Amino acid sequence: MSLSILAVDDSRTMRDMIRLALQPAGFTVHTADDGLHGIDVLDGITPDAIITDINMPRMDGFGFIDAVREQEQHRATPILVLTTEAAPELKARARAAGATGWIVKPFDPAKLVKALQMVAG
Amino acid sequence: MSFETDPMAEIRASFFVECEELLEALQDSLQIMDDGAEDSETINVVFRAVHSIKGGAGAFGLDALVRFAHRFETVLDALRTDRMQADAAAVKVFFQCADHLSDLVRHSRDGGSDPAEQSGALLARLDALLGTEAAPAEDIAEPEIDFQPMGLTLDLAALDDALPADLPPLNALPPLCDLADLPPPEADGLKTYRLHFTPDTKLYETGNEPFLLLRALEELGAAQITCDTTRLPKQQDLIPEHSYLSWTVKLETDAEEAKILSVFDFVEGLCSLDLQPIAVTPDAASASAPRTPKTPTAPPSPSAAPATAKAPTPIKNVVRVDLDRIERLVNLVGELVINQAMLSQSLETANLPPHGDAMNGLEEFQRLTRDIQDSVMMLRAQPVKSLFQRMSRIIREASTAVNKEVRLHTEGDATEVDKTVIERLADPLTHMIRNAVDHGLETPADRIAAGKPAEGQVKLSASHRSGRVIIEVSDDGAGINRPRVLQIAIDKGLIPADAQLSDSEIDNLLFLPGFSTAGSVSDLSGRGVGMDVVRTAIQALGGRITITSVPGSGTCFSISLPLTLAVLDGMVIDTAGETLVVPLNLVVETLTFQAQDVSMIRPGQHVVRVRGAFVPIVDLAAELGYRAPQNSYDGAVALLIAHENGNRAALLIDNILDQRQVVIKGLDDGFSRAAGIAAATILGDGQIALILDPSDIITNAAQPLQKPLRAGALT
């Protein structure tokens, strides 16, 4: 099952790792460097799911999720948040912003793939 | 699904490159905080830098780095959320932590001595910052409790046990087809559950999908799923985005309840969920009470706070290239320049028509060669920023060591200099910065007594000036104690006791080898700790160092360096039958003397009148020892040379031959360093010519009085 994913993270290392985890599993991976860039990239694609970091320059993950949800065609696109802490309030905040789920960093590639299939089919 | 180690090694390498960038951003922002000019975004940048380093480090199992970064981040988070204030003391600790963090990063990358043992002391200081709002107790006891560093491997099966418990472990059971082979339920612990699942509207709004959740349940065991559609309204009343459906699932599985519930991890609070085991025997079914009721919790208020968009940070696209390849390219371009020069020379002697195709083509060729050369040189150029940041660390360490308050100002961070130059400047600059803090600046008490603020200032600046890079280290200290310096030089026998020296000559005594010894360091109120070493290092880079000092208000060391170590615009001259090259950027103009313009001010010292000003004449051939000084200057040709300190001199030569770019070929250690000679080059006709250092020649010639001194000690 080939899914198209948009990964938004300001860390090049993290973007590389996401790509390395997902491409071998047959995913198509688009990347963006921060929230604003993510919105730009989203303009040309319709990903099956979005992965986003929270702490980013220019526009953080919460702002990005808000902006994505405001777009009619992406209102129901699954969005997974990458977070280093599994703190409940972070999860609550991510969900309040409209995130579908979360992945704890450092992530295991298999779990990331599973989680994406879980939310994106 | 396992991979070669290669892609991971690549990512690891780029992680360390990213770390350097993050550490740089960290330093910058801390500097802004230190200057008291921060806004919330500055603190965010600091936080993000530490956060990103931690995130990446976790992926590579760099435990020590993760642990330290995590604690650092905890404090920064408190700062970010206004739970504490960043006063000067706090920023100082942050700087130390940033330094330590970069030590840890480098250790992780390069190995070597493990800096981790210093972590403890810094962590204690960080905790002290948090004070009463200290980190949660368990965080202190077990720093890694809420963040487990985990080595990332791409072997998908290996890590299930080491994972954080947050993700639904969906693949715990063997596939359904294997169930037939399993023993009967009683022996195996297969249980049956009934699960009611009613999604809230909010569940759909967050992009979750009941179908996928139910499918995940099916993967846990044999599931009978029924959908309850009784709440569906008539079509005219139906709101498409409302939740009307609910499901009942009868699941036969050996999975734990927690495992079943973990399927609904993402939608906890967005649905009502009721899971109960049902006994296999009918009579026990009624006795079983609901064991894990899940009631919907109030949906969290949508209070997301998008970050205000700041000025966009430019994103640099970079390619990593092996330095060897660049070196090779630089060398090849050097050869190309020589080759082009030879071609020009042979075409010129071929008596071709000046505007013919060949000459026009040659002109174009020259232009292209020069463009290529410039572009290639740019490849090696790097901003001095990284160097300056290292120096700010030196300042912090040195000032702590001698109990002085010192603030570093930097200017021209973006000035680009050849990479090799930057690398080789680190040691001399470190030396100079330490000197500035240790000897240049007074103690806080002395400063206050002198009416200055207790905090000393050290300024580090870089700029491009007339084709060279000028790097200045200045302080606002007491300046050079000239009587003291003179006395020391006399005591050490470096100059005759009756020597009459100008202020700047006294200052330059600091560069004499043997001027400073370890014994005189601590009680010397001026400078001079190994400045001869600094000077030698700068000269090895084709540079010069000068010193200016104003008593009571400070000292400034100025380093002038060539932009590149590879090529130079030169004037090819002839003197006493020798072909020599003078760096063109030092030549202000060319002069032809008239007898009446030249006057003698004392035996062996002549000056020439140039536009109303008198300029000393330096006979190049005589200075280099090619022949005795001339007696007549009538009709002689000279180059007016701009000296670094603003003085000028007329360098007497026989003839100007050409003006061209030359490729600098260093004189290796096999040659002793001759005064006034910087390097050598190969000319278009294959001849070898020496490249002069006119400033050196002029300095040597400036004072006959000083000649024995310079010949003996300075060169």
Side-chain angles (χ1 to χ4, degrees):
Chain A
M1 166 169 25
S2 170
L3 293 177
S4 158
I5 306 294
L6 170 64
V8 186
D9 198 308
D10 60 327
S11 161
R12 189 163 63 238
T13 307
M14 213 43 79
R15 293 197 299 271
D16 287 349
M17 308 247 321
I18 292 171
R19 189 178 285 119
L20 186 62
L22 296 184
Q23 274 177 347
F27 289 75
T28 308
V29 183
H30 306 270
T31 56
D33 302 345
D34 57 45
L36 280 185
H37 188 210
I39 299 294
D40 283 352
V41 173
L42 201 56
D43 201 26
I45 57 173
T46 43
D48 296 303
I50 297 171
I51 303 171
T52 180
D53 190 22
I54 290 299
N55 287 299
M56 294 185 290
R58 299 209 296 166
M59 179 191 277
D60 71 3
F62 298 123
F64 173 68
I65 295 170
D66 269 356
V68 171
R69 289 280 179 250
E70 273 169 22
Q71 298 186 22
E72 186 59 34
Q73 71 271 32
H74 298 303
R75 281 179 59 206
T77 303
I79 303 177
L80 294 184
V81 168
L82 274 174
T83 163
T84 38
E85 268 83 13
E89 64 270 18
L90 255 168
K91 293 179 184 176
R93 192 163 170 219
R95 191 154 57 205
T100 309
W102 48 85
I103 301 162
V104 179
K105 284 193 281 192
F107 58 85
D108 171 50
K111 300 290 176 186
L112 179 61
V113 169
K114 270 285 173 196
L116 283 169
Q117 286 170 346
M118 170 96 183
V119 295
Chain B
M1 197 161 66
S2 66
F3 299 97
E4 318 279 315
T5 49
D6 223 9
M8 277 310 278
E10 282 270 309
I11 295 181
R12 193 183 156 99
S14 86
F15 164 66
F16 284 121
V17 172
E18 187 178 12
C19 274
E20 291 296 330
E21 290 163 16
L22 291 167
L23 288 168
E24 190 179 309
L26 179 60
Q27 289 281 356
D28 279 353
S29 302
L30 285 176
Q31 193 59 54
I32 294 172
M33 286 170 71
D34 196 29
D35 297 339
E38 80 267 24
D39 52 21
S40 63
E41 181 56 17
T42 314
I43 296 167
N44 275 330
V45 170
V46 171
F47 176 82
R48 270 199 307 272
V50 177
H51 183 79
S52 291
I53 290 174
K54 181 182 95 170
F60 297 107
L62 306 172
D63 295 8
L65 187 53
V66 169
R67 236 172 279 134
F68 184 77
H70 176 63
R71 297 280 290 278
F72 191 6
E73 181 192 8
T74 305
V75 177
L76 291 172
D77 193 41
L79 184 68
R80 197 170 65 132
T81 49
D82 288 329
R83 282 180 285 134
M84 63 169 281
Q85 294 300 314
D87 52 15
V91 173
K92 202 163 198 172
V93 175
F94 292 160
F95 266 123
Q96 288 166 338
C97 289
D99 291 343
H100 186 59
L101 198 61
S102 75
D103 285 345
L104 288 169
V105 166
R106 269 156 216 156
H107 171 69
S108 303
R109 184 185 58 199
D110 308 329
S113 65
D114 190 352
E117 59 199 41
Q118 297 160 22
S119 299
L122 281 171
L123 288 177
R125 248 171 272 172
L126 278 175
D127 288 340
L129 285 181
L130 280 179
T132 49
E133 306 199 41
E138 80 273 16
D139 196 30
I140 290 168
E142 199 69 61
E144 61 273 65
I145 193 153
D146 60 349
F147 184 73
Q148 281 285 355
M150 178 188 72
L152 176 77
T153 70
L154 289 176
D155 180 358
L156 297 186
L159 275 163
D160 283 14
D161 292 339
L163 278 170
D166 303 88
L167 282 173
L170 296 170
N171 53 350
L173 263 193
L176 277 180
C177 56
D178 292 342
L179 282 177
D181 303 332
L182 292 172
E186 286 72 20
D188 184 56
L190 263 190
K191 288 189 206 146
T192 308
Y193 296 90
R194 175 167 292 120
L195 182 138
H196 290 287
F197 168 51
T198 312
D200 295 349
T201 301
K202 182 81 182 161
L203 181 142
Y204 297 97
E205 286 171 358
T206 57
N208 279 290
E209 172 55 55
F211 160 69
L212 295 168
L213 296 170
L214 295 169
R215 192 183 65 179
L217 277 183
E218 269 189 317
E219 288 175 15
L220 292 177
Q224 280 182 328
I225 302 172
T226 47
C227 181
D228 177 6
T229 56
T230 52
R231 288 193 300 137
L232 264 182
K234 291 203 177 87
Q235 196 171 6
Q236 67 268 26
D237 300 329
L238 185 133
I239 305 168
E241 299 197 347
H242 264 214
S243 172
Y244 299 109
L245 301 178
S246 59
W247 286 268
T248 304
V249 182
K250 192 178 159 203
L251 180 67
E252 197 181 48
T253 176
D254 65 350
E256 296 295 314
E257 274 181 35
K259 197 156 220 169
I260 299 170
L261 289 172
S262 71
V263 169
F264 296 91
D265 213 12
F266 287 169
V267 295
E268 190 185 330
L270 301 179
C271 60
S272 92
L273 196 61
D274 179 18
L275 178 70
Q276 358 177 326
I278 45 178
V280 200
T281 46
D283 53 79
S286 56
S288 154
R291 280 172 57 191
T292 318
K294 284 269 171 182
T295 47
T297 56
S301 60
S303 61
T308 47
K310 286 280 164 184
T313 40
I315 297 157
K316 273 190 194 163
N317 274 324
V318 289
V319 180
R320 284 187 296 134
V321 181
D322 200 327
L323 197 56
D324 288 348
R325 294 188 186 182
I326 294 183
E327 298 290 356
R328 192 174 139 73
L329 187 60
V330 169
N331 277 333
L332 283 174
V333 170
E335 299 299 323
L336 179 68
V337 172
I338 293 178
N339 193 274
Q340 178 249 308
M342 290 167 108
L343 185 62
S344 309
Q345 198 144 341
S346 55
L347 281 179
E348 271 158 27
T349 52
N351 285 326
L352 292 171
H355 300 295
D357 286 351
M359 291 314 271
N360 286 341
L362 181 67
E363 217 164 274
E364 183 74 356
F365 182 38
Q366 275 172 340
R367 203 178 53 76
L368 277 175
T369 311
R370 181 166 285 249
D371 286 353
I372 291 173
Q373 198 172 41
D374 289 348
S375 312
V376 168
M377 292 311 151
M378 285 304 294
L379 290 181
R380 295 189 47 89
Q382 283 189 334
V384 292
K385 185 168 182 179
S386 61
L387 181 67
F388 280 13
Q389 285 196 339
R390 279 165 75 178
M391 293 309 126
S392 73
R393 176 175 186 174
I394 302 292
I395 288 262
R396 287 196 294 279
E397 288 173 354
S399 58
T400 311
V402 297
N403 281 323
K404 290 178 185 170
E405 289 172 47
V406 184
R407 178 168 291 266
L408 177 73
H409 301 272
T410 58
E411 245 180 53
D413 290 18
T415 309
E416 293 201 330
V417 187
D418 190 284
K419 182 177 161 62
T420 313
V421 176
I422 288 185
E423 282 163 4
R424 286 163 64 185
L425 264 183
D427 281 347
L429 264 192
T430 303
H431 219 111
M432 291 162 68
I433 292 275
R434 285 208 181 115
N435 270 355
V437 173
D438 195 7
H439 304 294
L441 295 174
E442 315 91 321
T443 60
D446 288 350
R447 287 183 65 87
I448 291 169
K452 296 181 189 178
E455 187 182 63
Q457 315 284 326
V458 173
K459 191 170 144 193
L460 191 55
S461 71
S463 58
H464 286 296
R465 204 180 298 160
S466 61
R468 291 176 80 85
V469 179
I470 309 293
I471 293 179
E472 288 185 342
V473 180
S474 55
D475 63 60
D476 69 340
I480 290 172
N481 185 343
R482 293 195 177 112
R484 185 82 186 263
V485 168
L486 191 60
Q487 192 56 48
I488 289 173
I490 292 170
D491 289 351
K492 286 180 184 290
L494 298 169
I495 51 169
D498 57 351
Q500 295 295 313
L501 301 184
S502 69
D503 282 353
S504 93
E505 284 161 357
I506 294 174
D507 294 347
N508 277 298
L509 291 173
L510 298 188
F511 292 118
L512 286 183
F515 175 82
S516 86
T517 66
S520 70
V521 172
S522 52
D523 56 338
L524 178 69
S525 59
R527 291 171 184 260
V529 182
M531 284 308 289
D532 62 313
V533 178
V534 170
R535 182 180 158 114
T536 309
I538 302 296
Q539 280 176 340
L541 289 170
R544 263 178 299 279
I545 180 165
T546 52
I547 182 171
T548 46
S549 180
V550 180
S553 48
T555 309
C556 174
F557 285 92
S558 176
I559 300 173
S560 155
L561 292 163
L563 266 185
T564 154
L565 301 177
V567 285
L568 158 110
D569 278 314
M571 185 171 275
V572 185
I573 57 158
D574 172 79
T575 190
E578 299 284 334
T579 305
L580 300 164
V581 177
V582 180
L584 191 61
N585 53 5
L586 298 177
V587 180
V588 181
E589 61 182 302
T590 57
L591 308 168
T592 307
F593 293 167
Q594 314 268 299
Q596 67 270 23
D597 291 337
V598 180
S599 24
M600 184 175 79
I601 52 169
R602 64 167 168 254
Q605 179 68 66
H606 289 78
V607 293
V608 61
R609 183 196 291 273
V610 180
R611 296 199 189 88
F614 286 106
V615 176
I617 297 175
V618 177
D619 185 340
L620 180 61
E623 286 299 323
L624 294 176
Y626 290 146
R627 67 175 174 221
Q630 281 168 302
N631 296 318
S632 162
Y633 292 103
D634 195 18
V637 178
L639 304 177
L640 188 62
I641 301 290
H643 199 21
E644 300 274 280
N645 58 16
N647 295 337
R648 297 183 301 171
L651 195 63
L652 198 66
I653 59 171
D654 286 358
N655 206 358
I656 296 170
L657 300 177
D658 196 3
Q659 190 172 306
R660 69 169 67 228
Q661 253 187 349
V662 297
V663 178
I664 299 173
K665 298 283 180 190
L667 297 168
D668 62 31
D669 297 340
F671 302 91
S672 62
R673 198 186 132 70
I677 305 298
T681 188
I682 302 169
L683 297 177
D685 57 3
Q687 195 190 343
I688 293 174
L690 293 175
I691 300 174
L692 299 180
D693 183 348
S695 294
D696 204 13
I697 293 171
I698 292 165
T699 312
N700 284 359
Q703 292 279 338
L705 176 85
Q706 283 197 321
K707 266 191 181 165
L709 164 79
R710 289 226 159 75
L714 266 188
T715 52

